[in-house]
Structures are given as structure tokens and as C-alpha cells.
Amino acid sequence: MNGVECNICREALSARIDGEPEGVPADQVDAHLDSCASCREWHDSATALTRTLRVRPATPVPDLTAAIMEAAPPVVPATPRGWLPRGLLTGVAVAQLTLGLAQVIGVNSAHSGHTSGVDSSHLFNESTAWNLALGLGLLWTALRPSAVSGMLPVTAAFVAVLIPYSASDLVSGTATAGRVFSHSLLLIGLVLLGFVYHSERGPSDRTPLTNDEHDTARSASSSTDRAGRTRVRRRIRLRPVSRRDAA
């Protein structure tokens, strides 16, 4: 038997086929294999069966590439969004700041011959402060578009109030046409803020969720709530009712 029995030889050959340690000296296994026709036949069958299982034709599957690409959402270009309205908004902000600085520089000359009272001077200062503040706000929004959600309602409310007052002053003659039309910068800025706001939201934010997406979101939310409640429950420690430790 050359040192090993048939069952031990076949276990060693099985381990050899699988690339595992044989457990017995390889020369003894080979010697038994040369002298035992039954083990050689078993080894040939096992080798053929293993090769058949490991090396076989791939199962044909349908090509779903076209269907998947058609069903996939459109790919948003990697270019930054909102550069054009942000660039135009920067120009409007600079113009608005220039208008405010022109008021600051010309305040002494504009009021040097007037002694109409403190109120008119204060109103002029308020107008100058508003022009500078709005210019700075527009410039900050152009640089940091995430601030548009706060700047947009403020500018919209100011323009909504400013338009009827400016029209009334223009009709009554208390304001010149040039002064009134200088406020058109804010109107243009308001339009550009709207463009920046929509470009920052992106198409994904405006697309309604499907029923499956709603179910997924609700499942994730409920899982988060359960995890939070579990963490809260784990923090609770039972204490004696009498607030005294047991003896």
C-alpha cells in the first residue's frame, strides 16, 4: 500500500485539487497513486468534475444597458451652476455700492446750503445707509449663494414698498426722474436674486418624489426615530423611589 491507504490518499488528492494542505507527505500520495489503478481513476474523475464546475461557459444574459440608461435620470453637467446670474449680480452690487458711496461723498456739498432741519438730513442718511447695506448684501449673496434665501425676501419687500413711493414722488415732482430710475438697480438685483435662488435649488430639489421614494424616506425617518428613542431609553437609569440606596 506504499505507506497510505486508499481513503487517506483520496482525501489528500481532494485537498490537492482544492489547493489545500494535503496532510500527508506528497511523495507517499504519489507513490500510492502510481500503484493503485482505482485511486488513479478516482483522481481523473475528480479532476475532470472540478474543472467542469470551475470552467464552464458563462450563462447568457440580456444586455440591459440601453434600458438602464433610458430609465436613469439625466446627468447634470459638472459645470458650476448660476455663474452668469451671480456675475451679473456682482456688477449690480458694485453699482449699488457706488451709488451709496456717491451719496456719502456728496452729502456735505448737497446739504451745505440747506438748513431745513434735522429730519431731512436723517432721512438722507437712512437712504444712504440702505443703499450701502443692500449693495453689501447683494455682493455677499453673489459670493456666497447660500445666503440668497435670506437676502431675497428682504430685497423683495424693500422693492415692493419703494416702487409706489418712487412713483408718487415722480408724479408729484418731489424727486427727479434720474433719482427715481437709480432704484432700477435694486429691481434688476431682485430679478438676479431669483435666478440665483432657482439655480442653487437645482432640478433635483424641484422634482417631486415618487411613491417609492416617499416610502423609502418614511422608512429611513422611522428608523432614525426608533434609533433616537432607543438611545434615549438607554440613558434612563432607574433610581429608588425613596431616593436612598438600598442597605
Side-chain angles (χ1 to χ4, degrees):
M1 292 189 297
N2 296 321
V4 294
E5 298 179 355
C6 290
N7 57 342
I8 298 177
C9 178
R10 294 179 184 183
E11 289 180 1
L13 292 173
S14 178
R16 180 185 297 180
I17 293 173
D18 295 336
E20 299 175 353
E22 300 179 20
V24 294
D27 54 348
Q28 296 184 15
V29 175
D30 294 335
H32 179 87
L33 191 63
D34 292 338
S35 61
C36 183
S38 177
C39 287
R40 285 197 303 272
E41 182 180 357
W42 181 92
H43 178 259
D44 294 339
S45 299
T47 303
L49 178 61
T50 302
R51 181 174 179 81
T52 301
L53 294 176
R54 293 180 178 178
V55 182
R56 57 181 177 178
T59 303
V61 294
D63 187 5
L64 303 177
T65 304
I68 294 174
M69 295 300 295
E70 184 179 356
V75 178
V76 180
T79 56
R81 299 177 299 179
W83 275 113
L84 179 59
R86 288 173 59 186
L88 296 176
L89 185 62
T90 302
V92 172
V94 172
Q96 183 69 22
L97 287 172
T98 304
L99 179 63
L101 291 175
Q103 289 182 256
V104 172
I105 295 173
V107 63
N108 293 327
S109 61
H111 287 76
S112 59
H114 295 275
T115 57
S116 56
V118 178
D119 290 340
S120 61
S121 178
H122 179 65
L123 289 175
F124 185 84
N125 292 336
E126 285 184 349
S127 173
T128 304
W130 264 105
N131 284 328
L132 291 174
L134 289 172
L136 290 173
L138 294 176
L139 183 60
W140 178 255
T141 304
L143 299 176
R144 295 290 185 271
S146 58
V148 69
S149 58
M151 190 63 189
L152 183 60
V154 174
T155 307
F158 183 75
V159 171
V161 175
L162 183 63
I163 288 176
Y165 276 107
S166 298
S168 176
D169 292 340
L170 183 62
V171 172
S172 63
T174 57
T176 63
R179 177 62 180 169
V180 171
F181 283 108
S182 66
H183 300 316
S184 59
L185 286 173
L186 292 176
L187 185 60
I188 298 173
L190 178 61
V191 175
L192 293 174
L193 284 174
F195 280 113
V196 173
Y197 176 75
H198 284 286
S199 64
E200 284 302 308
R201 290 181 63 192
S204 59
D205 297 336
R206 296 190 293 270
T207 304
L209 295 177
T210 61
N211 293 332
D212 294 338
E213 291 172 338
H214 277 298
D215 295 338
T216 302
R218 283 196 296 266
S219 299
S221 177
S222 60
S223 300
T224 304
D225 293 341
R226 286 196 298 269
R229 289 195 297 267
T230 302
R231 287 194 296 268
V232 171
R233 284 197 297 267
R234 288 175 179 175
R235 295 193 189 102
I236 298 175
R237 296 181 179 179
L238 298 178
R239 297 182 181 277
V241 178
S242 61
R243 298 183 180 275
R244 287 181 292 182
D245 296 334

